[in-house]
């Protein structure tokens, strides 16, 4: 007879979950046997660490739109999932976690590996956190966990004590008072605001002369509608990091990223706008949005709790982006004055020229911006690009020109170290024929990325021969934090916390049987990319880059400039290089601005 563990896997399969990322332990022994009997559906993918499994489940949800699923044993395994699950919660992704627990008879005794997951998970899985106390309860717990995860776009957790998992399954509860009978199934709702509010929004947008749009991942299924609205309004469109792939970067009025990782085009658009139109984003940094009172505001967000909490809005459209835009667009009037749009397109073109100039600045030994610049020119169709916390995220956000059909993501709201490599691995499991590229710093690669290459080796026969490239930026520095020390704390780089060991990453890849390429020359970086992209399977490109190339923000806030200068005066070990290279980087913006405004037709 099937056990409760078998039934839970069967029910997950009925919900379309065919892959579980998990690591074994005796607290889930019953599930290990059930997975064996499941004959690969659902299959179990074994990462090197439970945290990586949770990141992989989050990436599955991000890249497929389905439910991600991870599993861990009781005690330490349950604890290890937390960081990856917080990534799912903060980026609003549906993930179901199955975690083990000691036998019911032992609970409360201080038994080995006995922790209180209800207390531990009460934040990360606040919307659904339940313990399966009886085999007949499993059906409704799985059904409700999946419904809550999808409906609330969050983490749902089922705690399964060992003895319950080992009991005979009861697919249908006894017909008695207290029994619950649930079904598999959920339909994504079409949520539309009241017509009166849509008309208010249309009036505001029609009256605006300088409309700035900001889109996030909530607009990911609404690209056509976003473009149509922007065309009617003569607007420019900035994208958050999570909204990186909502629109292709070849749109001449897409100003690209916003914020510290942003573009000068996005900064100038927000500075000069008179109307702000936010769609599917909770971008939190007020200093990069228009000043309060500068703009009239319209916002579309499916989550009514989060609407109007980033900028004071005049119209609050609680609804899904696609359906709401479809109702709004017929009410929008095409703006005949296209001077605002023309200005934005000029600033966008100028920004791309600035990036080109910056990428070709001399560095010691290799400019990290050139690394991504050269990749951008070589991106295969349908590529999925991941990145991680660190300065690599700056170059990922700015220099990649994503085309239609490409995907990209990172840990947006949690901004944690760790997900770049497991995201890439998960993406490859979901799309075995698509090129996948991860841009990651050496700090995070040492933290967990190198170990997850062993996961790639474990499943080499599943990986296929499409490009799977892990580009590691080797600068022997926890570079993003180093720059934050300077610009936010006014302190010089402290070698004791910031310096990390030099590791031969390309050689490590070769030990595992992969292609490994090391590049420290600007003359060779294009050829290095060609080599790893044509390698036929997993490859590591180790690029030895200059830690003194600053992730220059599109605008220096007064306090940041003051703090950075203070840090250099205190004797920063890289002060001279930073001053020279940083000045040159900002100088490109000035040069391009002069060319655009003073030369005939803005010609270079």
């Amino acid at each position: 007879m099937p056990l409760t563990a078998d039934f839970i896997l069967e029910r997950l399969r009925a919900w379309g979950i065919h892959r579980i990322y998990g690591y074994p332990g005796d607290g889930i022994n019953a599930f290990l046997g059930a997975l064996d009997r499941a004959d690969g559906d659902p299959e179990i993918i074994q990462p090197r660490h439970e945290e990586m499994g949770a990141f992989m489940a989050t990436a599955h949800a991000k890249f497929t739109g389905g439910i991600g699923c991870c599993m861990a044993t009781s005690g330490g395994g349950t604890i290890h999932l937390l960081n990856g699950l917080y990534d799912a919660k903060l980026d609003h992704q549906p993930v179901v976690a199955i975690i083990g627990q000691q036998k019911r008879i032992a609970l409360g005794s201080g038994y080995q590996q006995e922790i209180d997951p209800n207390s531990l998970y009460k934040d990360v899985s606040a919307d659904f956190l339940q313990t399966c106390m009886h085999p007949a309860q499993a059906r409704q717990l799985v059904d409700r966990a999946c419904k809550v995860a999808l409906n609330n776009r969050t983490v749902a957790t089922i705690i399964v004590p060992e003895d319950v998992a080992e009991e005979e399954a009861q697919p249908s509860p006894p017909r008695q008072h207290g029994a619950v009978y649930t079904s598999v199934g959920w339909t994504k709702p079409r949520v539309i605001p009241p017509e009166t509010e849509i008309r208010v929004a249309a009036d505001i947008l029609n009256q605006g002369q300088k409309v700035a749009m900001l889109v996030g991942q909530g607009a990911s299924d609404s690209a056509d509608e976003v473009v149509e609205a922007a065309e009617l309004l003569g607007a420019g469109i900035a994208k958050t990091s999570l909204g990186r792939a909502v629109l292709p970067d070849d749109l001449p009025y897409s100003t690209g990223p916003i914020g510290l990782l942003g573009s000068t085009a996005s900064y100038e658009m927000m500075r000069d706008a008179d109307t702000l139109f936010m769609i599917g984003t909770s971008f939190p940094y007020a200093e990069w949005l228009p000043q309060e009172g500068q703009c009239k505001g319209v916002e579309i967000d499916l989550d009514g709790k989060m609407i109007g909490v980033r900028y004071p809005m005049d119209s609050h459209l609680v609804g899904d982006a696609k359906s709401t835009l479809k109702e709004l667009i017929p009410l929008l009037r095409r703006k005949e004055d296209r001077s605002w749009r023309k200005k934005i397109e000029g600033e966008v073109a100028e920004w791309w020229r600035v990036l080109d100039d910056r990428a070709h600045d001399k560095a010691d030994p290799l400019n990290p911006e050139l690394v991504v610049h050269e990749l951008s020119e070589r991106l295969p169709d349908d590529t999925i690009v991941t990145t991680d916390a660190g300065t690599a995220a700056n170059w990922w956000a700015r220099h990649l020109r994503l085309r239609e059909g490409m995907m990209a993501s990172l840990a947006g709201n949690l901004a944690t170290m760790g997900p770049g490599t497991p995201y890439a691995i998960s993406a490859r499991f979901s799309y075995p024929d698509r090129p996948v590229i991860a841009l990651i710093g050496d700090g995070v690669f040492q933290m967990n990325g190198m170990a997850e290459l062993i996961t790639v080796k474990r499943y080499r026969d599943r990986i296929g021969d499409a490009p799977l490239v892990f580009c590691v930026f080797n600068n022997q520095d926890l570079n993003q934090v180093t720059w934050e020390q300077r610009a936010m704390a006014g302190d010089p780089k402290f070698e004791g916390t910031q310096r990390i060991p030099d590791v031969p990453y390309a050689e490590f890849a070769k030990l595992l049987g992969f292609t490994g390429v090391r590049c420290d020359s600007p003359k060779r970086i294009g050829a290095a990319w060609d080599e790893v992209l044509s390698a036929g399977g997993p490859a590591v490109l180790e690029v030895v880059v200059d830690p003194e190339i600053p992730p220059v923000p599109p605008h220096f806030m007064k306090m940041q400039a003051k703090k950075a200068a203070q840090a250099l005066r205190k004797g920063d070990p890289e002060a001279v290089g930073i001053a020279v290279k940083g000045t040159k980087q900002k100088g490109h913006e000035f040069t391009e601005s002069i060319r655009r405004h003073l030369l005939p037709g803005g010609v270079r």
Side-chain angles (χ1 to χ4, degrees):
M1 293 295 292
L3 306 181
T4 302
D6 294 277
F7 174 76
I8 289 175
L9 295 184
E10 178 186 333
R11 201 69 174 181
L12 291 172
R13 183 169 61 246
W15 275 96
I17 295 172
H18 303 289
R19 186 177 303 118
I20 298 172
Y21 294 96
Y23 203 84
D26 61 3
I28 52 171
N29 272 344
F31 282 100
L32 306 183
L35 284 161
D36 188 16
R37 293 187 291 274
D39 196 26
D41 191 12
E43 66 175 334
I44 182 75
I45 300 296
Q46 180 205 87
R48 310 277 55 80
H49 191 288
E50 290 94 347
E51 178 186 0
M52 300 297 100
F55 281 134
M56 291 176 187
T58 302
H60 178 94
K62 285 188 172 186
F63 292 130
T64 71
I67 304 172
C69 189
C70 56
M71 181 179 290
T73 189
S74 54
T78 292
I79 296 166
H80 285 163
L81 286 179
L82 280 172
N83 198 37
L85 291 180
Y86 267 108
D87 183 31
K89 176 182 178 175
L90 269 62
D91 281 356
H92 311 292
Q93 299 301 320
V95 170
V96 170
I98 309 293
I99 58 176
Q101 177 58 296
Q102 291 299 336
K103 295 181 179 181
R104 289 169 295 178
I105 196 171
L107 294 179
S109 69
Y111 206 78
Q112 186 182 33
Q113 286 195 334
E114 181 190 350
I115 64 169
D116 181 6
N118 286 285
S119 296
L120 188 66
Y121 275 50
K122 69 179 181 179
D123 180 40
V124 74
S125 192
D127 289 7
F128 191 87
L129 174 60
Q130 294 293 329
T131 301
C132 187
M133 300 302 293
H134 190 282
Q137 189 186 8
R139 170 176 158 181
Q140 64 99 346
L141 289 184
V142 174
D143 290 349
R144 284 215 66 230
C146 292
K147 293 173 196 285
V148 169
L150 287 167
N151 194 73
N152 295 9
R153 301 198 62 79
T154 192
V155 175
T157 302
I158 305 172
I159 305 163
V160 187
E162 291 178 50
D163 53 332
V164 177
E166 294 167 352
E167 286 190 38
E168 183 179 321
Q170 293 190 37
S172 185
R175 188 170 177 81
Q176 62 187 42
H177 182 70
V180 176
Y181 297 83
T182 57
S183 57
V184 172
W186 179 84
T187 302
K188 184 178 179 179
R190 183 170 182 257
V191 184
I192 305 173
E195 182 181 353
T196 52
E197 190 65 15
I198 292 175
R199 290 191 176 279
V200 170
D203 288 343
I204 293 168
L205 295 170
N206 286 332
Q207 291 169 18
Q209 300 301 308
K210 300 176 180 180
V211 180
M213 297 174 66
L214 176 60
V215 300
Q217 68 174 359
S220 58
D221 65 345
S222 314
D224 291 343
E225 290 78 14
V226 169
V227 167
E228 186 174 358
E231 289 287 1
L232 289 168
L233 297 170
I237 309 173
K239 302 183 291 184
T240 67
S241 292
L242 287 174
R244 183 75 177 80
V246 169
L247 299 172
D249 289 309
D250 52 13
L251 288 174
Y253 51 85
S254 173
T255 63
I258 187 172
L260 281 170
L261 280 62
S263 70
T264 54
S266 293
Y267 169 74
E268 290 171 2
M269 179 176 70
M270 292 297 170
R271 181 195 62 193
D272 298 336
D274 64 15
T275 307
L276 177 63
F277 188 13
M278 294 175 64
I279 306 173
T281 176
S282 291
F283 179 75
Y285 303 113
E287 66 270 29
W288 299 103
L289 295 176
Q291 293 187 29
E292 183 175 10
Q294 172 187 330
C295 286
K296 289 284 189 179
V298 174
E299 183 174 5
I300 300 174
D301 201 298
L302 185 59
D303 187 351
K305 301 190 303 296
M306 294 302 296
I307 201 160
V309 301
R310 301 307 190 204
Y311 190 85
M313 292 293 164
D314 300 279
S315 178
H316 305 76
L317 300 176
V318 178
D320 68 86
K322 191 178 190 70
S323 299
T324 304
L325 284 169
K326 281 182 175 293
E327 298 295 318
L328 176 65
I329 285 170
L331 303 177
L332 299 180
R333 297 192 300 269
R334 177 179 170 81
K335 297 188 188 301
E336 298 305 322
D337 182 355
R338 309 305 277 188
S339 57
W340 172 245
R341 166 64 70 80
K342 185 177 179 181
K343 175 179 180 292
I344 289 170
E345 290 181 352
E347 289 163 351
V348 170
E350 176 185 319
W351 172 245
W352 285 115
R353 291 194 298 268
V354 166
L355 289 179
D356 192 339
D357 291 340
R358 284 183 180 176
H360 290 91
D361 280 345
K362 291 183 179 180
D364 182 19
L366 181 58
N367 188 332
E369 296 180 279
L370 182 64
V371 173
V372 185
H373 176 85
E374 292 291 334
L375 167 62
S376 186
E377 296 182 350
R378 294 168 168 79
L379 279 176
D381 291 340
D382 297 325
T383 296
I384 301 172
V385 193
T386 70
T387 193
D388 223 304
T391 48
N394 291 269
W395 323 134
W396 170 90
R398 294 172 178 171
H399 286 268
L400 285 179
R401 298 187 78 151
L402 298 182
R403 303 190 300 276
E404 188 172 356
M406 295 181 177
M407 296 183 183
S409 197
L410 76 172
N413 288 296
L414 188 59
T416 182
M417 294 179 71
T421 299
Y423 268 29
I425 296 170
S426 178
R428 191 48 166 270
F429 276 116
S430 296
Y431 302 99
D433 298 323
R434 293 183 65 163
V436 179
I437 302 168
L439 303 178
I440 40 189
D442 50 359
V444 74
F445 202 59
Q446 289 183 19
M447 181 180 284
N448 52 41
M450 294 180 73
E452 284 312 309
L453 288 190
I454 301 172
T455 302
V456 177
K457 180 178 177 63
R458 161 78 189 269
Y459 297 100
R460 179 63 186 89
D461 61 330
R462 296 280 308 281
I463 293 302
D465 291 328
L468 175 60
V469 181
F470 302 90
C471 179
V472 184
F473 291 74
N474 181 353
N475 57 22
Q476 300 170 54
D477 181 39
L478 297 175
N479 202 230
Q480 185 73 18
V481 175
T482 296
W483 287 106
E484 288 170 346
Q485 280 182 305
R486 293 165 176 148
M488 298 170 70
D491 289 329
K493 175 180 177 178
F494 175 44
E495 296 279 357
T497 61
Q498 300 313 107
R499 187 160 183 81
I500 58 175
D502 187 12
V503 175
Y505 306 105
E507 294 303 313
F508 179 73
K510 292 177 183 178
L511 286 175
L512 296 176
F514 306 152
T515 298
V517 175
R518 186 178 188 272
C519 182
D520 60 4
S521 166
K523 295 180 179 179
R524 288 190 55 249
I525 184 59
W529 272 118
D530 291 336
E531 183 175 354
V532 293
L533 288 171
S534 62
V540 169
L541 173 58
E542 176 188 352
V543 288
V544 185
V545 296
D546 190 340
E548 295 179 358
I549 298 294
V552 178
H555 174 70
F556 273 120
M557 303 298 177
K558 184 176 180 180
M559 184 53 68
Q560 290 175 337
K562 182 178 179 181
K563 292 283 189 181
Q566 178 181 321
L568 299 188
R569 286 197 302 270
K570 287 181 178 179
D572 192 292
E574 298 167 356
V576 174
I578 291 169
V580 172
K581 295 165 188 174
T583 300
K584 191 170 185 179
Q585 292 256 305
K586 290 302 286 184
H588 292 308
E589 295 176 19
F590 177 75
T591 301
E592 290 299 337
S593 180
I594 291 295
R595 285 170 175 159
R596 182 163 65 87
H597 289 96
L598 297 186
L599 294 183
V603 179
R604 298 187 68 179

